[in-house]
């Protein structure tokens, strides 16, 4: 079931979106850290924006 969900997510991302997915995933995890999460996620947000600027 997890593999099917992962496959559906990957199909919904187009082209560069697949390459930006790791940056966005790490950013989401970092943003969960209290107080410093958003500041710590800034570089990974910039990474994702550089790879796939359409989603910003």
């Amino acid at each position: 079931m997890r593999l099917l969900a992962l496959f559906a997510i990957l199909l919904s991302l187009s082209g560069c979106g697949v390459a930006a997915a790791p940056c966005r995933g790490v950013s989401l995890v970092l943003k969960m850290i209290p107080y410093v999460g958003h500041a710590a996620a800034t570089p990974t947000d910039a990474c994702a924006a550089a790879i796939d600027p359409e989603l910003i």
Side-chain angles (χ1 to χ4, degrees), residues 8-53:
I9 290 169
L10 289 177
L11 280 178
S12 68
L13 296 172
S14 64
C16 293
V18 175
C23 295
R24 296 190 195 284
V26 170
S27 176
L28 288 173
V29 171
L30 286 174
K31 287 180 181 177
M32 290 185 226
I33 301 171
Y35 304 111
V36 296
H38 287 280
T42 301
T44 57
D45 288 337
C47 165
I51 295 171
D52 191 16

Side-chain angles (χ1 to χ4, degrees), residues 2-12:
R2 287 184 185 180
L3 184 61
L4 183 62
L6 179 63
F7 186 67
I9 290 169
L10 289 177
L11 280 178
S12 68

